[in-house]
Amino acid sequence: MASDGAHIVFINTIQSNFSDIITRTFINITFACRYPVNYMVQQPNGENKISVDIRTITLNTEDGNFSVSMMLYKDPNFEDMWTTVPFLTLEDNIFVKVNMIPGHLIIQLENCWSTPTKDPSHAVQYSFIEDSCPQVVKDETLSVIMNGGGAEAIFRIQMFKFVGISYNDIFLHCTVQICHSTAAVCKPNCTNYGRITRNKRETTPFPTHTVSYGPIKRKLADNGEANINKGKLPPVETLILGGLLMAFLVITGVFGTLLLQSRRAYPPMQAQLTMSHFHNSEVAS
């Protein structure tokens, strides 16, 4: 086989059979076949088109079930989980993990907030994560450790309380979204915090779901919170009870004074009636 750049040449030879016994003629024919390197494929009728058979296959899709849970831990390593109702002081940290099963997809925390009751739509709310980013700029009481990087989201927040003596419990709520993409796309960009702006992620939209945990009860410190309450005005209930007790004492004093005055005036009158009765009895006898 040879080539001159424009053609490919195949060379071969045909020879007569050789015999070791006798021979009469000798045949030796050499031939070659030359083919061009480039060919143009053309359909009939002069149409230079290639017909492509397109087949569309429709696959049935079904909704999958995902289990999302929120858990609280006692340590920053997320090893010692709370199995009872947590009692925390205002100086303690809350270590929260939101986990999803199965774990082959990525979970995002969209919004996280707290309420004094188990109702997520309670009028009194404290929001600390919005659009997958911390709401407060450079807040040392909140740290989002992982969000949009795997099958679990982790954050730490310092214990707090709602203003008002009737609010002693805390309930945490988070809206979560399943991100069906890579971790580089699902992870939120929270770098532009000076202007409180957040970059939107180009992800496939999935419906969000709310997961909650509670209650978290506040534990009074041994001496710290007691000292904080010193110098403050007493609660409203204490003032009401004190006023009722004062009114009761005043009313009791008034009735006691009237009763004492009536007793002082009654004995002479009773003695006078007794003497009068005694004299009348004597005259009759």
Side-chain angles (χ1 to χ4, degrees):
M1 184 181 68
S3 174
D4 59 0
H7 297 81
I8 297 177
V9 181
F10 294 92
I11 303 173
N12 204 347
T13 301
I14 301 176
Q15 296 179 348
S16 62
N17 294 331
F18 292 97
S19 176
D20 295 337
I21 303 174
I22 61 173
T23 180
R24 291 184 177 92
T25 59
F26 178 74
I27 300 175
N28 187 5
I29 302 174
T30 301
F31 65 94
C33 297
R34 190 174 66 169
Y35 302 94
V37 175
N38 298 322
Y39 277 90
M40 177 180 291
V41 178
Q42 185 175 6
Q43 289 186 343
N45 302 326
E47 295 181 359
N48 297 329
K49 295 182 180 179
I50 299 177
S51 178
V52 179
D53 186 12
I54 301 176
R55 296 182 180 181
T56 303
I57 301 176
T58 304
L59 300 178
N60 295 328
T61 58
E62 296 181 357
D63 295 334
N65 295 323
F66 301 94
S67 175
V68 181
S69 59
M70 180 182 293
M71 298 166 289
L72 264 65
Y73 289 81
K74 304 176 183 179
D75 60 306
N77 296 325
F78 294 87
E79 296 177 351
D80 190 5
M81 185 176 64
W82 280 99
T83 57
T84 59
V85 177
F87 280 83
L88 302 175
T89 64
L90 296 179
E91 289 77 21
D92 293 331
N93 284 316
I94 306 174
F95 301 96
V96 184
K97 176 189 290 186
V98 180
N99 186 46
M100 180 184 62
I101 299 175
H104 64 278
L105 295 178
I106 298 175
I107 189 173
Q108 287 179 342
L109 298 180
E110 290 291 327
N111 300 289
C112 291
W113 69 99
S114 61
T115 58
T117 66
K118 64 180 180 180
D119 183 12
S121 59
H122 194 273
V124 179
Q125 295 185 2
Y126 168 56
S127 179
F128 50 88
I129 293 179
E130 290 185 354
D131 294 334
S132 301
C133 294
Q135 184 182 15
V136 182
V137 180
K138 296 180 180 180
D139 187 4
E140 296 182 355
T141 62
L142 174 64
S143 175
V144 179
I145 303 172
M146 179 186 297
N147 188 19
E152 59 185 21
I154 302 173
F155 66 90
R156 172 196 60 84
I157 185 171
Q158 186 174 342
M159 180 64 176
F160 56 91
K161 70 176 294 292
F162 289 98
V163 177
I165 58 175
S166 60
Y167 299 145
N168 294 320
D169 298 339
I170 293 176
F171 292 80
L172 300 179
H173 316 278
C174 286
T175 55
V176 299
Q177 186 181 58
I178 299 174
C179 180
H180 190 64
S181 186
T182 61
V185 178
C186 298
K187 188 175 182 180
N189 186 358
C190 305
T191 56
N192 299 328
Y193 256 74
R195 296 172 294 170
I196 314 298
T197 58
R198 295 152 174 99
N199 294 347
K200 297 295 183 181
R201 283 89 59 201
E202 297 295 333
T203 57
T204 304
F206 281 91
T208 58
H209 302 276
T210 302
V211 59
S212 302
Y213 185 97
I216 304 174
K217 294 187 175 293
R218 183 170 61 94
K219 180 175 66 174
L220 298 178
D222 295 336
N223 51 8
E225 196 163 345
N227 294 330
I228 294 176
N229 293 330
K230 290 183 178 180
K232 294 185 178 180
L233 294 176
V236 179
E237 289 84 350
T238 305
L239 296 177
I240 295 175
L241 292 176
L244 293 176
L245 181 61
M246 184 64 68
F248 176 76
L249 293 176
V250 171
I251 295 174
T252 303
V254 171
F255 276 100
T257 302
L258 295 176
L259 181 60
L260 181 61
Q261 291 178 356
S262 63
R263 286 184 176 181
R264 289 178 179 177
Y266 182 73
M269 185 180 299
Q270 184 179 10
Q272 184 177 1
L273 291 175
T274 304
M275 291 296 296
S276 176
H277 179 71
F278 175 74
H279 290 299
N280 291 334
S281 299
E282 254 184 349
V283 172
S285 59

